[in-house]
Amino acid sequence: MDAIKHAAALKERLVNFALSPQFTRELDEAFERSRPDDLADSEVTASMIVDHFALQHRLASGDTVIDRFLRAHPGLSPQERAMLLGWRDVVEGIFEVQGQEQDALVLFNLVDELTYRARSNMGKSAFRPIQRGMFLICRLVPLGEDWLVSAHISLFPADARDQLLTQAADIGLRNPKLVFRNPDKLAAARRMLAAQREVFLDLYGTEYIVVSGDDVAPRHDAFMRACMDRDQPGNTFPLPGFTYPEEVLDAETVAIHFDPETGISFYLEFGLLQELFADPLLINRRRYRETLTSYLRGDDISPAAIRLLTDPAPDNAGVVFGKLLKKKGFSWPEHGESLLRRYKSRYFDEPQLPTTVPVSETMARHLRSALPDESSER
C-alpha cells in the first residue's frame, strides 16, 4: 500500500472513531459553536468541522480524539502513530492554484503566504476540474515532504480573488496562529511589536495605563496614530477600524497594557483590583472577590494582568489569594507561579503570539483599495 492509500485508510478509521457515540455530545457542541465560512457550502463546512474535531479539538478531558484513538489502538505501527501525531499540524487557508506537478497541486496560501505541494487520497483525478489561477478553501495535513488534502475542497474561480483576499485577511486577523506558520511573518511581527512598544512607552511613559471606559477609544486611537506617524510621518491614512466591546466602554476602569510578547490588551475593572491589592481586607467584599475570581478563572485574561497587580506588593498578593482560595500560609513569591500555571495553563502550553499581523504589499494594497472613498460619500 502506498503512502496516500495508507493515509486514506488511517484517516477513515480516525474519522469513524470521532463519529462514534462516545463523542456525540462534544461533536454536537462543536457544530453549534461553529460559524461556517460564508464562502463554503454546507457539505464542505460540515466536513471541515468534523475534520477539525478529529484532528485538533481539545476535549473536555483535556486530550484529543487522536490521543483517544492511539490509546484505543495499541497495535498501530510506529509509522502509523507518527503519521497520526503529525496530523495535528494542520494547515488551514485559502489557496491560489499556481500549477500542477504530476499528481500534486502547487498551492499558495493567501493566509500564511507559503507554498505547498498538495496531493489527494483520490489521486490525480480529484484535481481534474482545477485550473491554474483558481482558489481553494481547504485543510492540509503532512504527508512526508508533501501535504495531503484533509476534508472536502471548496473551489472558486480566478475572478473571486478580491473577495478571497478580504476573507484571507479576516482569517489572519482572527487567528494569527495561522499566519505565523510562516517564520518570516512571525519575525516581522516581533519587530513590529518592538517598535510599537517603543511608541507606547514614548506616548504614555509606562507599559500600561489605567483609564475610564469612555477614555479607552481616544487613548488607543492616539497610540495607533502615533504608530502610523512613526512609519510614515505626515500620512493621512484613516485609522484601522476597531470596534470596542460595550463592556469595555462601560467599565469604570480599564488597563490598556502593551505586553511585549503579544501587544495591546484591555483589562476591565483593573482599578478596582489595584485597590484590592493595596488593601487586602477588601477581599471580604463580594465585588472585589468576584472580580479577582474572574481574572483568575477567565480564559481570555493573560497571566500578565495578574502579574501587573501582584508585582508592586507581593506580600499583599499572598494575603489576597490566601483568603480567596482559603489557603493558610499562601505566599505569592513561593506559590504564585504554580497558581498561574494551574489556572492559565493554555498560556504556558504554547508560545504566546503577537496580535499584530504583518501583511504583504499585495494584501496591503488590496485592503487600502477596499476602504470606502470618503470623497465620494460627501
Side-chain angles (χ1 to χ4, degrees), residues 44-59:
V44 171
T45 297
S47 173
M48 287 186 172
I49 294 171
V50 171
D51 195 69
H52 182 276
F53 184 81
L55 301 180
Q56 297 166 279
H57 178 76
R58 187 68 60 178
L59 300 167

Side-chain angles (χ1 to χ4, degrees), residues 139-154:
R139 290 161 54 86
L140 308 177
V141 294
L143 182 71
E145 295 183 357
D146 291 337
W147 296 81
L148 183 68
V149 174
S150 186
H152 290 172
I153 290 173
S154 195

Side-chain angles (χ1 to χ4, degrees), residues 62-335:
D63 54 5
T64 65
V65 173
I66 288 179
D67 295 328
R68 298 274 189 93
F69 185 85
L70 290 172
R71 290 199 297 270
H73 299 84
L76 292 170
S77 70
Q79 292 78 12
E80 289 172 324
R81 297 179 71 84
M83 182 177 289
L84 283 164
L85 292 173
W87 287 349
R88 291 170 168 170
D89 181 24
V90 178
V91 176
E92 301 178 73
I94 299 174
F95 301 87
E96 182 176 10
V97 180
Q98 294 190 328
Q100 191 162 342
E101 296 178 359
Q102 298 179 345
D103 62 345
L105 288 179
V106 179
L107 303 175
F108 178 77
N109 189 352
L110 300 181
V111 176
D112 63 23
E113 298 182 356
L114 293 173
T115 301
Y116 299 86
R117 288 184 78 258
R119 302 165 73 186
S120 169
N121 59 16
M122 298 174 64
K124 189 175 181 178
S125 62
F127 298 145
R128 194 166 292 140
I130 300 175
Q131 299 177 7
R132 182 185 177 90
M134 286 183 164
F135 294 87
L136 315 177
I137 292 180
C138 63
R139 290 161 54 86
L140 308 177
V141 294
L143 182 71
E145 295 183 357
D146 291 337
W147 296 81
L148 183 68
V149 174
S150 186
H152 290 172
I153 290 173
S154 195
L155 182 62
F156 298 88
D159 60 11
R161 180 180 181 80
D162 285 347
Q163 183 185 14
L164 293 169
L165 278 169
T166 301
Q167 185 71 18
D170 182 61
I171 290 171
L173 290 173
R174 285 189 286 109
N175 194 346
K177 184 177 180 179
L178 299 180
V179 178
F180 294 141
R181 286 189 57 83
N182 185 332
D184 292 339
K185 290 287 185 185
L186 180 56
R190 296 207 185 280
R191 290 193 297 271
M192 292 171 63
L193 210 60
Q196 290 176 355
R197 185 168 186 268
E198 288 183 7
V199 172
F200 193 93
L201 293 174
D202 288 344
L203 191 61
Y204 295 121
T206 179
E207 71 174 34
Y208 74 97
I209 56 175
V210 183
V211 301
S212 63
D214 56 11
D215 200 26
V216 168
R219 294 295 192 112
H220 187 243
D221 284 353
F223 163 69
M224 295 300 296
R225 174 56 65 190
C227 288
M228 293 172 68
D229 286 344
R230 173 177 172 141
D231 290 340
Q232 291 182 286
N235 79 82
T236 58
F237 294 137
L239 290 172
F242 194 91
T243 302
Y244 301 91
E246 285 188 15
E247 58 266 28
V248 171
L249 302 179
D250 292 341
E252 289 185 12
T253 60
V254 178
I256 305 176
H257 176 219
F258 198 97
D259 188 305
E261 296 296 320
T262 58
I264 289 283
S265 293
F266 302 101
Y267 304 129
L268 278 59
E269 307 305 348
F270 193 86
L272 185 80
L273 294 181
Q274 285 181 312
E275 294 176 14
L276 170 60
F277 283 91
D279 181 3
L281 292 180
L282 292 173
I283 193 65
N284 295 317
R285 299 187 185 181
R286 180 176 179 179
R287 186 183 179 201
Y288 292 89
R289 196 166 54 250
E290 288 183 347
T291 302
L292 181 57
T293 298
S294 71
Y295 266 57
L296 184 61
R297 296 183 180 275
D299 193 50
D300 59 342
I301 297 180
S302 165
I306 296 177
R307 292 192 180 106
L308 293 179
L309 293 162
T310 59
D311 284 353
D315 290 341
N316 283 2
V319 175
V320 168
F321 279 104
K323 288 183 176 294
L324 179 71
L325 303 170
K326 296 181 173 58
K327 289 188 176 182
K328 291 184 178 180
F330 184 92
S331 163
W332 182 259
E334 185 178 353
H335 307 119

